[in-house]
Amino acid sequence: MKKGVLGLVALLSCTMIYAQDSLRNDTLEKHHEIGIIRKTIRGFDRLEDTYIEPQHYEFTVMMQVTRTFESFDLSSDNQHIRLSPDGLTKIGPYFGWRWFFFGYTFDIKNLSFGSGGLRKEFDLSIYSSQIGIDIFYRRSGSDYKIRDVKLGGQNSDLFENMPFSGMTLGITGVSAYYIFNHGHFSYPAAFSQSTCQKVSCGSWLAGAGYTNNTLDLDDEALKEALESRMPKGQTVELDSGMMINHIRYNDFMLSGGYAYNWVFAKNWLFCASAQLAIAYKTSYGEMADEKKGFDIGKVNPDVVGRFGLVYNNTRWYVGASAILRTNNYRTSRFRANNIFGSLNAYIGYNFMLKKKYKQKK
């Protein structure tokens, strides 16, 4: 009996020891996994403080004014038309934590919501030391104006600034890029104000992205609008390439470029950046004009430019930035070029000093 009890106690002891060891190993493994994740995330913000001053604060608040602009060109062999809406001015507050900025801006001319003519825009940019990510969503409203027309022999002044509601554009996309010289060069210093560049420096960039594009053009409405400005009895004959109606196309792109931060005075920075994207565009719709398999004609160049001017003393910052994108699409029948971008002016304040900087003070 005693032997049986002792054996049972020994068995229970071994089981408990095994369970404790298993729990300890599971805990160590979880800590190891968490450590790898933390190390990876922190690696995205790895920098050399000789060149870059890290962010001293946990949070930031900012007020920003944004002016958006857009231009669309459509051309065939013999005709050309340029349309663009009036510029849109928006204002709103932002709240930031580390890499991320969250905020909302509203059109100061149209404070009512739900109007079908209003443009819909959403842009999110994430800037870390090593990588950058852009997510954008745009749907044009019905407020385009004809800015320039070439129809062959017609006086283009007749159509200048004429409203035209028969076209809508849409673009949804995401792009990511890698910053090679991330230890010395800081994109966040120019565009998210989360670090301060101390020494002038540049870096090569490489990236990839995808966008989905839609274009709807009511060619009958366009013809009627143009004829309304012409002398009585004259008509307009549009090329077949201008009669698009509806088309969708996808972009798969690879990009490369260079960015430079110029520290021209204490706490002051000017940044200029340009990326050339080689985009492979596949289309579908009424005017797809699509060939099966790989076709070099589906490859088109796009450009992304960024410019920033900022003063940042780690507590307060003020500045301006501009982002410009082009989206080109060409077939044997027509060429479309969409240019859009934004100009931002902002002022912000950082608060809640990080623990390690509290210790230094």
Side-chain angles (χ1 to χ4, degrees), residues 17 50-51 62 64 76 81 143 162 166 176 189 192 200 221 241 243 250 259 292 299 320:
I17 292 171
T50 304
Y51 286 79
M62 182 179 76
Q64 178 170 289
S76 63
I81 183 170
D143 55 350
M162 182 175 68
S192 64
S200 298
M243 299 178 185
N250 297 316
K292 293 182 179 180
V299 178

Side-chain angles (χ1 to χ4, degrees), residues 18-34:
Y18 176 78
Q20 289 175 352
D21 288 342
S22 298
L23 181 61
R24 188 181 298 110
N25 290 334
D26 289 343
T27 303
L28 290 174
E29 287 179 4
K30 288 180 180 178
H31 281 306
H32 179 66
E33 291 174 358
I34 294 172

Side-chain angles (χ1 to χ4, degrees), residues 96-349:
W97 174 73
R98 298 192 178 183
W99 302 343
F100 301 96
F101 265 91
F102 308 91
Y104 179 79
T105 57
F106 54 89
D107 180 6
I108 60 176
K109 288 185 179 179
N110 298 284
L111 299 182
S112 60
F113 298 94
S115 173
L118 292 180
R119 285 164 268 172
K120 299 177 182 178
E121 301 177 6
F122 171 80
D123 294 276
L124 172 65
S125 294
I126 301 172
Y127 299 103
S128 74
S129 296
Q130 287 191 35
I131 62 170
I133 300 173
D134 293 326
I135 301 172
F136 43 92
Y137 172 92
R138 297 173 62 86
R139 295 294 182 270
S140 68
S142 56
D143 55 350
Y144 278 92
K145 291 182 179 179
I146 296 174
R147 307 296 183 177
D148 184 44
V149 176
K150 291 183 176 63
L151 297 176
Q154 297 293 341
N155 182 4
S156 61
D157 293 339
L158 292 173
F159 316 109
E160 188 174 351
N161 295 326
M162 182 175 68
F164 178 65
S165 59
M167 188 181 77
T168 58
L169 290 172
I171 180 169
T172 304
V174 58
S175 62
Y177 48 90
Y178 183 79
I179 302 165
F180 289 94
N181 192 20
H182 51 265
H184 297 168
F185 168 86
S186 175
Y187 240 156
F191 298 105
S192 64
Q193 303 82 45
S194 56
T195 60
C196 297
Q197 186 82 40
K198 296 162 70 174
V199 180
S200 298
C201 192
S203 177
W204 291 101
L205 315 170
Y210 165 80
T211 61
N212 175 264
N213 308 265
T214 61
L215 168 60
D216 292 275
L217 177 64
D218 187 338
D219 54 89
E220 286 297 327
L222 176 60
K223 183 178 178 179
E224 291 176 4
L226 294 174
E227 289 179 347
S228 69
R229 291 285 184 96
M230 295 177 64
K232 189 174 181 179
Q234 293 190 18
T235 60
V236 172
E237 293 297 329
L238 296 176
D239 289 347
S240 61
M242 305 289 282
M243 299 178 185
I244 292 177
N245 294 324
H246 178 72
I247 190 170
R248 296 173 181 266
Y249 58 97
N250 297 316
D251 291 0
F252 303 89
M253 66 191 75
L254 296 175
S255 64
Y258 190 78
Y260 190 78
N261 280 346
W262 177 34
V263 182
F264 59 90
K266 184 179 179 181
N267 299 329
W268 282 96
L269 169 69
F270 175 75
C271 178
S273 167
Q275 289 178 267
L276 175 65
I278 304 301
Y280 188 76
K281 302 178 186 263
T282 59
S283 60
Y284 49 99
E286 296 178 22
M287 286 285 293
D289 197 18
E290 185 79 6
K291 297 179 181 179
K292 293 182 179 180
F294 178 82
D295 179 16
I296 192 65
K298 299 177 186 177
V299 178
N300 293 270
D302 292 329
V303 176
V304 180
R306 290 181 174 86
F307 305 90
L309 174 67
V310 60
Y311 171 84
N312 190 343
N313 64 9
T314 73
R315 170 70 83 169
W316 288 93
Y317 56 89
V318 61
S321 64
I323 300 177
L324 179 68
R325 302 178 187 275
T326 68
N327 192 332
N328 299 291
Y329 180 68
R330 299 173 184 271
T331 72
S332 59
R333 301 177 65 181
F334 72 93
R335 299 173 299 279
N337 180 32
N338 184 212
I339 301 174
F340 61 95
S342 61
L343 175 64
N344 308 300
Y346 53 84
I347 182 170
Y349 177 76

